[in-house]
Amino acid sequence: MERVFMASTKNIRFDYFKPCLEDDSDTEVNLLPYIEMLHTIPFEARVMPYTAGHSIRLSHTQYHANYQPDGSSPFPFPLWQLIFTRMRPDVPGVTKRTLPDLTPLDLEDDEYIAEDTTVLYDSTINYLIIQRNRTGAPPSVIQDFFNGMHDEGQSAIELQIITKTNPLERALQHRFHHSFNVRIKNIRNPAFENAVGNNQTLNNVIHIGRALSTEQEYPVQAELILKIPTRNPENTFKNSIHTGILNVLNPLIASDIVDKLIIRGRNDEESALEEVDLVQDVLREWIKFNLENSRLIPSPSIFDRLAYSYAQRRPNLLPTP
């Protein structure tokens, strides 16, 4: 009898990194020599121990001179495709909706529960895009793989997550505002009170903190989340109030008084909702995959979709002449 799974989707996140020197983040490091060296090592030897008895293996390295995604034209630039596999020794159980107990999942001695993490590397402009996968290989371990290849005494590599430029400018371009999330480390900080000035909305936050706290001096952290629970483009917070709050809070990020400031909005009624993280607005892809007849999304399928999305963004990443 053929098994049929309920159709569902899964959003997979990818973050952009720049390889740099650990002790000098302004100096980039091209990973091509490291990848070419790893490429020559048998895949069964490219294994690194990880937490709780887990291990991570660089299972696949492939160079694409002109990668061609499914249904698209070949790219005019080269790419590397890397797959890191996390293997775990513990074995989960299997259950059904109608059974209260777990049935052991039988594996042979040389079999493991495993999950892949897909990585794309563009050596031409030195961009590394990593699939974020809680049960796969984290960026810190991928960084350790490359650091394991450099000579003794050579500076270590650090994968610097890439932030977007001009987040305040992009946020202020919004005319329709759907959510607002700010965290203030200490609303009793005199520098915060002075910066707020006559802003009534933020003064209300200070007054609430004063009403709840005692006369004893200690930090009071405040996190404010306001959102409109629909995606209707016409539903919005007041533009002038929203802009006034942003102009007060953004300068406080540099002094770490504000350590979270995330807004979601639109430039006009036809634009898609855009999330802007003014503290750490990173380059990121979200790609939706359908889960129909299988719950496993093969890494080659993930790379194919990632490569296509990356190619669409790449012209904006090229250095200006």
Side-chain angles (χ1 to χ4, degrees):
M1 180 178 178
E2 183 181 358
R3 294 186 297 174
V4 179
F5 299 111
M6 292 183 295
S8 60
T9 60
K10 178 178 180 179
N11 275 331
I12 296 182
R13 167 184 153 193
F14 304 86
D15 284 342
Y16 283 61
F17 293 84
K18 272 279 188 182
C20 305
L21 290 180
E22 185 179 47
D23 53 5
D24 182 5
S25 60
D26 293 329
T27 301
E28 295 186 17
V29 177
N30 193 289
L31 296 178
L32 189 55
Y34 299 86
I35 294 174
E36 289 176 338
M37 190 178 300
L38 286 165
H39 187 63
T40 64
I41 301 173
F43 87 93
E44 63 270 16
R46 301 191 301 240
V47 178
M48 178 175 291
Y50 191 50
T51 181
H54 295 203
S55 59
I56 292 179
R57 179 183 64 205
L58 177 55
S59 300
H60 181 77
T61 60
Q62 185 174 356
Y63 175 74
H64 301 280
N66 301 101
Y67 185 78
Q68 183 174 4
D70 187 25
S72 182
S73 301
F75 295 158
F77 54 88
L79 292 174
W80 276 90
Q81 176 183 0
L82 310 176
I83 300 175
F84 291 85
T85 302
R86 179 172 175 176
M87 299 177 291
R88 48 187 280 196
D90 53 317
V91 180
V94 178
T95 189
K96 298 181 180 179
R97 291 179 183 269
T98 56
L99 293 178
D101 300 323
L102 295 181
T103 301
L105 179 62
D106 294 326
L107 297 178
E108 300 294 334
D109 290 342
D110 61 345
E111 293 180 324
Y112 301 89
I113 296 296
E115 191 156 359
D116 285 340
T117 295
T118 300
V119 177
L120 179 154
Y121 181 58
D122 183 344
S123 61
T124 306
I125 59 174
N126 202 30
Y127 272 78
L128 188 76
I129 299 92
I130 301 176
Q131 174 191 354
R132 300 307 293 261
N133 184 357
R134 287 186 302 173
T135 53
S140 59
V141 173
I142 295 173
Q143 176 179 292
D144 289 343
F145 256 92
F146 294 124
N147 279 324
M149 305 305 297
H150 68 62
D151 298 329
E152 186 177 353
Q154 185 179 350
S155 297
I157 296 170
E158 184 174 69
L159 300 182
Q160 292 274 348
I161 195 162
I162 300 174
T163 58
K164 298 178 183 177
T165 57
N166 301 322
L168 178 62
E169 179 181 328
R170 289 169 39 234
L172 292 176
Q173 287 175 351
H174 293 171
R175 290 295 174 265
F176 296 87
H177 314 285
H178 293 264
S179 72
F180 191 97
N181 184 359
V182 59
R183 185 171 61 212
I184 301 134
K185 292 185 72 172
N186 180 15
I187 60 174
R188 303 176 84 162
N189 185 336
F192 175 66
E193 296 191 23
N194 292 336
V196 166
N198 296 323
N199 188 290
Q200 182 177 353
T201 307
L202 295 175
N203 267 310
N204 287 337
V205 176
I206 295 174
H207 293 325
I208 291 171
R210 286 175 177 168
L212 290 172
S213 54
T214 66
E215 293 183 0
Q216 181 184 356
E217 285 298 324
Y218 48 83
V220 176
Q221 185 181 89
E223 183 165 358
L224 178 65
I225 302 175
L226 298 173
K227 63 174 61 177
I228 297 173
T230 70
R231 298 178 65 87
N232 187 334
E234 297 179 356
N235 295 343
T236 177
F237 294 122
K238 294 179 180 178
N239 183 63
S240 60
I241 304 299
H242 189 276
T243 299
I245 294 175
L246 278 181
N247 285 329
V248 170
L249 295 178
N250 186 69
L252 301 179
I253 294 173
S255 57
D256 209 30
I257 295 173
V258 170
D259 62 357
K260 178 188 282 189
L261 185 52
I262 304 171
I263 63 98
R264 296 183 79 222
R266 308 172 189 265
N267 293 358
D268 52 58
E269 296 95 329
E270 303 299 325
S271 301
L273 273 174
E274 179 190 26
E275 180 175 286
V276 180
D277 186 335
L278 286 92
V279 175
Q280 191 182 32
D281 195 7
V282 300
L283 276 181
R284 178 171 292 162
E285 304 279 358
W286 286 97
I287 303 177
K288 183 177 292 186
F289 292 83
N290 291 321
L291 301 175
E292 295 178 352
N293 296 322
S294 173
R295 292 172 183 167
L296 172 67
I297 306 175
S299 184
S301 299
I302 294 175
F303 181 82
D304 191 76
R305 295 280 303 280
L306 171 60
Y308 180 81
S309 294
Y310 173 70
Q312 305 306 302
R313 187 192 286 264
R314 189 178 188 268
N316 297 323
L317 304 176
L318 295 174
T320 56

